[in-house]
Amino acid sequence: MSYAIGVITFVVALLLSVMLHEAGHFATAKAFGMKASRFFVGFGPTLWSTKRGETEYGIKAIPAGGFVKIEGMTALEELEPGDEDRAFYKQPALQRTIVLAAGSVVHFILAIGILFAVIAATGSDPVHVRPSTTIDAVEKCVPRNPNATACAATDPAAPAHGVLRAGDKVVAVNGTAVSTYNQMAAKLRAAPGTVVHVTVLRDGKQLTFGLKTVPVEQDGKLVGKIGISPEIENIPVSVAGAVPKTFTTLGYFAKSTVTALGGLPHEISGIVEGKPRNPEGAASVVDVARVSGQIAEAKASVGARVAQLMLLVAELNFFVGIFNLLPLLPLDGGHIGILAFEKVRGAAYRLFGRRDPGRVDIMKVLPLTYAVVAVFVGLSLILLYAGITDPIKLQ
C-alpha cells in the first residue's frame, strides 16, 4: 500500500463515520415520530440532492462533516403548519436524550465492532506487546546510567557484543531452560559480575557461550547485564478471548482520550512555543491522515498494515463519541446537559412546593455557546497549523 492509499482510507472512513453518526440521530428521531427534513453529508454549496418523502437527502461540496435537520430543535424555530406536535422540543425528555446521544452511540458501536474484528482476525492484543527470548539487537556497551540512550566513554563493553547475534533465541541460562523474557532476565540479573552460560538457538543449532555479566546498580541493588535487547512479540488472543479484550482495549482508549483532553492546554502551549510534538498528545485531522499514510507505507505485511489502519479508525470513532458527549454547547453532550439540568431543577422546585420553571431559555446560553465555538475553532486552527508545519510521526 502507498502513502496516498492510507490517507484516502482515513478520509473515506471519516466520511462514513460522519454519515453513520448523523444516521443515528436521523433514525431515532424518525422512530419517535419527529420530523427530519434534511440529511446531508458535507457543508457549503449543494452538489446533489433528492427528496424522498418529507426528507431531502444530499451531498455538499465541503467534506468536513454532515448534519440532520430535525424540525423544532428549539422553541424559537418556525414550523410548518401541522408540524407543531412533531417538533423536537415538544417531545419527552427521554426521547430527546436518546436522539441526541444516538450519534455517539453509533461511534461506540463502530469502535467495538472494528476492534473485535481486528482482534479476532489477527489473534493478538492490539495495544499490548511483550519482550521475547529472541535477541533483536546486541549493544556495544552496558550503560551505567539506566536512562542513557547512547554509550559513554566510561561504560564497559557489552559481554554479548561480537558473541551473540540478532535473531539468536535464548533457550537456556546456566543449563536451565527459559521460555519467557522474564525468566531469562531474572537469571542474568541474579548473577552480577559472574560468568553465565547462555545457550542460544542459531540456524537450527544450539550453541552455548560463557559471558561475564556487567554489574549495574538498579533500584538500589546490583544486577547483571550482558547488553542485549529483546524482540517484541504480540500477545496471542483467542477468538473467544477477543470479546473481553475488545472492552479492555476500549478502557485503554478511554484512558488515552482523557489524557489527551487533559493535556490539551499543555499541548497547545508547546505548539505555540515551538516545542516538539508529543506523539501521544492531541492531533488534528491532518495529523491523523498523515499517520494513516505512514502506516500504509510501513515495512510490514499488508495484513498488519490494514489492521493498524482499522485500529486507528476504531480509536478515532471512540474519541469522537466521547468528545461529542462533553457537556458543552453546541455539542450533543451540551444539549443533554441542559435536559438533565431541567429535570433536576424541576424536581428540586417540586420538592419545595414551587412551580417547575420549565425549559431553559436558549437565548440566555447562546453567548456561552458562541464562546465555546470560538475556543474550539481557535484550538482546531492551532492543531491544524501544527499538523501542517510539524506533523506527528510514527516512532
Side-chain angles (χ1 to χ4, degrees), residues 158-206:
H161 185 65
V163 180
L164 301 183
R165 302 176 185 173
D168 286 349
K169 181 179 178 64
V170 179
V171 295
V173 178
N174 285 336
T176 302
V178 294
S179 58
T180 68
Y181 173 81
N182 287 339
Q183 292 175 347
M184 176 189 72
K187 291 188 173 298
L188 294 175
R189 286 196 295 264
T194 62
V195 175
V196 294
H197 293 88
V198 180
T199 301
V200 301
L201 186 63
R202 179 189 298 171
D203 299 328
K205 299 179 180 179
Q206 286 195 3

Side-chain angles (χ1 to χ4, degrees), residues 38-42 46-50 56-60 67:
R38 306 181 80 195
F39 187 148
F40 274 77
V41 176
T46 299
L47 299 179
W48 168 86
S49 71
T50 183
E56 180 186 9
Y57 302 86
I59 299 174
K60 290 184 173 288
F67 67 92

